[in-house]
Amino acid sequence: ELGTYLFLGNALQVLGLKTVPSDRAAFLLQLTTIFVPLVQAIIAGNIQAIPLKTWGACFIALAGVGVMSLDSADAGGANDLTNLMSLFTNLSQGDLLIVMAALAYTFHCIRLERYAKETSAIKLAACKATTETVWSLALVLLLVAFAASSTAVDDSGGMLAYAFQEGTNIAEYVSTMFNQVSSGNLSLSTLAPAITAILWTGLVTCAYTIYAQSFGQSRVNPTDANLIYTIQPLCTALFAWVLLGESLGPAGYIGGALIGSAVLIVATSDDETNNRDDNDTFESLEY
């Protein structure tokens, strides 16, 4: 179940990015900040199931991500603000696909809470990764079969044309790699960068993050966990500064401060709840 949610989210995100700029897509994906508590409240049948302070933190974090998306060294702030405000008034097909991806990630985050408390993190990670692999291989085979059984698709810019082109690209790539290996023309110097990239994305950005999320959500509720995930733009900015020498503009610092404030609000709220629970337990033992 969890692996299927991740596969759907990733697939919808890739399809959406075909027509949606990455910064716009990143902001739409952060709608999970609102979707997670909303879906939790709907499932619980009580909007008050989510504390008011947490709702406030969710909207502050979403606003922070939006402000950070305005940050650009050479962009005009007024135009950027207009583009951001038009996000929800001019939704394209690609935008809707990104929003559907955010919904898939939302259900993954919520359902993970239950499984994380019943199953070890390593087993969850292995199960999710296996499920994603099976679905991905099935999709690749389907695309290749579709491309092989069809001629040119008269659907310019549509999903059928995209599926045909991707299936053709996959078949050509596999054929080229097979021919180079069989002829002995594939050198280690050519393979090394590809193997390094595969190991990094496979072990670090996929396997580790799946394990870390499964481990973390056995101790943190979905809404708070999703708020913590909003620090991703801050981490991106930090690595861009360290590795690429890039720096944030005023909007970036303001957005980062909003995101940090939202996480701090939730953290202090949890501390107050835990202290209150400890005091209640102590008083009951004293009595």
Side-chain angles (χ1 to χ4, degrees), residues 68 71 232-249 253:
M68 282 199 76
D71 187 62
Q232 178 183 337
L234 295 179
C235 296
T236 301
L238 177 62
F239 279 106
W241 175 65
V242 173
L243 299 177
L244 304 176
E246 297 179 359
S247 60
L248 290 174
Y253 287 111

Side-chain angles (χ1 to χ4, degrees), residues 37 47-58 223-224 269-270 273:
I47 198 71
Q48 295 180 347
I50 306 299
L52 187 60
K53 185 180 285 188
T54 301
W55 277 112
C58 290
T223 298
D224 291 357
S269 177
D270 287 345
T273 301

Side-chain angles (χ1 to χ4, degrees), residues 147-282:
S149 61
S150 306
T151 54
V153 177
D154 187 16
D155 182 32
S156 180
M159 289 300 170
L160 288 179
Y162 180 70
F164 177 82
Q165 185 59 50
E166 289 303 307
T168 303
N169 291 341
I170 292 171
E172 290 177 352
Y173 176 78
V174 172
S175 176
T176 301
M177 290 293 291
F178 179 79
N179 290 335
Q180 288 188 345
V181 170
S182 60
S183 62
N185 293 329
L186 197 62
S187 64
L188 183 60
S189 59
T190 303
L191 279 176
I195 293 175
T196 302
I198 290 171
L199 290 176
W200 173 261
T201 55
L203 295 176
V204 180
T205 65
C206 290
Y208 169 72
T209 54
I210 290 175
Y211 168 80
Q213 184 179 10
S214 301
F215 179 83
Q217 282 199 229
S218 64
R219 294 160 172 79
V220 180
N221 71 67
T223 298
D224 291 357
N226 208 63
L227 274 169
I228 294 171
Y229 300 150
T230 60
I231 69 171
Q232 178 183 337
L234 295 179
C235 296
T236 301
L238 177 62
F239 279 106
W241 175 65
V242 173
L243 299 177
L244 304 176
E246 297 179 359
S247 60
L248 290 174
Y253 287 111
I254 294 172
L258 288 171
I259 294 171
S261 299
V263 175
L264 183 62
I265 288 172
V266 172
T268 55
S269 177
D270 287 345
D271 288 342
E272 290 173 3
T273 301
N274 292 335
N275 291 335
R276 187 161 53 248
D277 291 342
D278 291 342
N279 290 335
D280 291 342
T281 302
F282 179 75

